Amino acid sequence: MAAQVQPFVVPTDAELLQAQADLWRHSLDYLKSMSLKCVVELGIPTAIHRLGGSASLPTLISELSLPSAKQPFLGRIMRLLAATGAFTTVNSTEVMYGLTPLSYLLVDGISADNHMNHAPFLFTCTSKYYVDLAMGLANWLKKEEKTPPFDHFHGATLFEESMKSIDPEFHETTMQALLVHDNFGVDIGLRDFREVFEPIKSLTDCCYHGDGYMAKAIAKAFPHMKVTHLDLPQEISKIPADGVVNYVGGDMFKSIPPAQVVTLKLVLHHWSDEACVKILSNCRTAIPPRDKGGKVLISDILLDPASGELFQTYLLMDVCMMLMKEGRQRTEDDFRKLFAKAGFSDYKVLKKWGARGVFEVYP
């Protein structure tokens, strides 16, 4: 029996007034990211950190040599960003702006182990190349077009030489963004999952345009382990041999160096389901049976409607991947189907970790 269609109920006056306000917010939400881009370009998070963690508007204007006449305008931008959690405000004789964990990620020049400057990620997502994609999305949807929107609109593929030939500076920014996106949290993860890594005797880390950061961190944390890092030949050629990690130039779509455990960290969301099954099948071939410790460790964004505010972030990342690559973010059921198609017998979610899920997948 067909589901009964519920008639639309005309909103009340109060609902319509609220809807108008919601529409304003949705229509102007892009100004949050552009305002954040603006203050990072000005160097404000770094200046606040340099000034001891908080600063007033006049101090920031002076520190950054900005025209004093622009102070009221900068104040309005900072007020918006403080209201949305990028900065804090402390009211004393004058308003002081302080860093939050979010703006701390955008400070340049910190050498602490737990810090990576995420500005390249912000600059990539707010670049003209991304904004143009979003503006042309309706056009793309009207066409019988199979290539990702990025390739279709720009005639180049993100992270590849074709993009470098068009705009070398943007290409370099995107590569830096990819490294920050992939490498951040590795040291935290090795502490949180130490008991998972300790029994492993050999491990192959599969990467896509990486720099060996995770493999080197694993080898340092677990000296008993034989660690191999697989990446594209052009990326491997950039990594100096260290005598600790075995660096292999290759293609995870063709074969993966054998090891007791294979890791895929933020790899699968770049690829289509068909491509993921190919990668996972090669992972299964590379590892021993389960009773010999064979498994694949996967860290990837896990779509979870019960995750509260994070769920909107997951969905934004999903549309982002749709625009730039052939991949997507997946639910646990989506992952389960991929694992089954690739010939795995079982899996478990070890932990929901930040915006990610961490899986153990067994042959």
Side-chain angles (χ1 to χ4, degrees):
M1 181 183 295
Q4 187 174 0
V5 178
Q6 296 296 319
F8 177 72
V9 178
V10 176
T12 65
D13 290 348
E15 287 172 334
L16 287 170
L17 289 170
Q18 180 61 48
Q20 184 189 42
D22 291 340
L23 179 60
W24 291 347
R25 176 171 53 82
H26 281 289
S27 300
L28 298 172
D29 239 10
Y30 71 96
L31 290 177
K32 288 193 296 186
S33 56
M34 291 302 176
S35 294
L36 191 57
K37 176 178 184 284
C38 165
V39 301
V40 174
E41 287 178 331
L42 292 173
I44 285 175
T46 304
I48 291 175
H49 186 266
R50 187 169 61 242
L51 291 164
S54 62
S56 65
L57 279 175
T59 300
L60 289 171
I61 290 287
S62 174
E63 181 74 12
L64 299 170
S65 301
L66 300 176
S68 58
K70 295 299 173 66
Q71 181 175 317
F73 304 104
L74 179 61
R76 289 157 70 178
I77 292 170
M78 291 297 292
R79 180 175 62 181
L80 168 66
L81 292 174
T84 54
F87 295 91
T88 62
T89 54
V90 179
N91 289 300
S92 53
T93 52
E94 58 183 344
V95 176
M96 304 282 286
Y97 290 96
L99 299 175
T100 64
L102 189 158
S103 46
Y104 176 73
L105 290 178
L106 296 165
V107 175
D108 191 25
I110 298 178
S111 58
D113 289 341
N114 65 344
H115 186 270
M116 290 184 183
N117 182 5
H118 282 58
F121 182 85
L122 172 66
F123 292 153
T124 296
C125 294
T126 54
S127 69
K128 64 179 182 179
Y129 292 100
Y130 271 50
V131 173
D132 286 351
L133 282 186
M135 291 179 68
L137 187 55
N139 239 357
W140 181 80
L141 287 168
K142 293 174 184 176
K143 296 181 178 180
E144 295 287 342
E145 183 61 59
K146 293 183 178 180
T147 57
F150 193 98
D151 297 56
H152 173 69
F153 283 111
H154 301 310
T157 301
L158 195 65
F159 310 131
E160 305 298 342
E161 287 296 313
S162 55
M163 189 67 236
K164 183 178 181 179
S165 66
I166 292 174
D167 190 332
E169 185 177 350
F170 175 72
H171 173 74
E172 179 60 28
T173 299
T174 63
M175 299 306 289
Q176 294 279 338
L178 186 61
L179 290 177
V180 170
H181 171 268
D182 287 357
N183 292 341
F184 182 74
V186 165
D187 300 308
I188 300 170
L190 293 179
R191 291 193 296 271
D192 285 358
F193 296 94
R194 187 168 188 86
E195 72 284 356
V196 175
F197 284 94
E198 281 179 338
I200 299 172
K201 296 177 182 178
S202 62
L203 178 147
T204 295
D205 177 41
C206 297
C207 204
Y208 171 64
H209 288 300
D211 61 356
Y213 184 92
M214 180 167 172
K216 286 181 276 192
I218 292 172
K220 180 180 178 181
F222 306 98
H224 69 277
M225 195 187 304
K226 178 185 176 183
V227 180
T228 299
H229 174 73
L230 173 70
D231 206 338
L232 301 168
Q234 65 266 32
E235 304 301 342
I236 293 295
S237 66
K238 301 173 188 175
I239 305 174
D242 53 25
V244 178
V245 175
N246 179 32
Y247 298 102
V248 176
D251 184 347
M252 59 186 159
F253 288 99
K254 295 179 180 177
S255 67
I256 292 171
Q260 182 185 9
V261 173
V262 172
T263 56
L264 296 170
K265 176 180 54 61
L266 294 173
V267 169
L268 297 180
H269 74 163
H270 285 279
W271 305 102
S272 67
D273 287 356
E274 294 76 17
C276 286
V277 170
K278 181 62 176 174
I279 294 169
L280 289 166
S281 297
N282 288 338
C283 289
R284 184 172 55 81
T285 301
I287 59 176
R290 183 174 182 176
D291 61 4
K292 301 293 185 184
K295 61 186 174 184
V296 181
L297 284 174
I298 296 172
S299 172
D300 221 310
I301 291 173
L302 181 58
L303 279 175
D304 180 8
S307 56
E309 291 183 0
L310 267 179
F311 188 56
Q312 188 174 129
T313 301
Y314 301 152
L315 297 178
L316 286 168
M317 287 292 285
D318 181 53
V319 173
C320 177
M321 296 305 293
M322 180 187 77
L323 289 172
M324 69 181 193
K325 299 295 286 183
E326 295 179 346
R328 63 189 184 96
Q329 314 304 341
R330 295 175 172 91
T331 64
E332 183 177 342
D333 191 55
D334 292 329
F335 279 110
R336 179 186 61 77
K337 291 174 182 176
L338 291 181
F339 301 153
K341 287 180 180 177
F344 288 92
S345 64
D346 198 7
Y347 77 93
K348 68 178 176 180
V349 179
L350 294 180
K351 192 174 184 180
K352 291 177 181 176
W353 189 66
R356 311 171 201 181
V358 179
F359 296 85
E360 275 189 346
V361 191
Y362 311 109

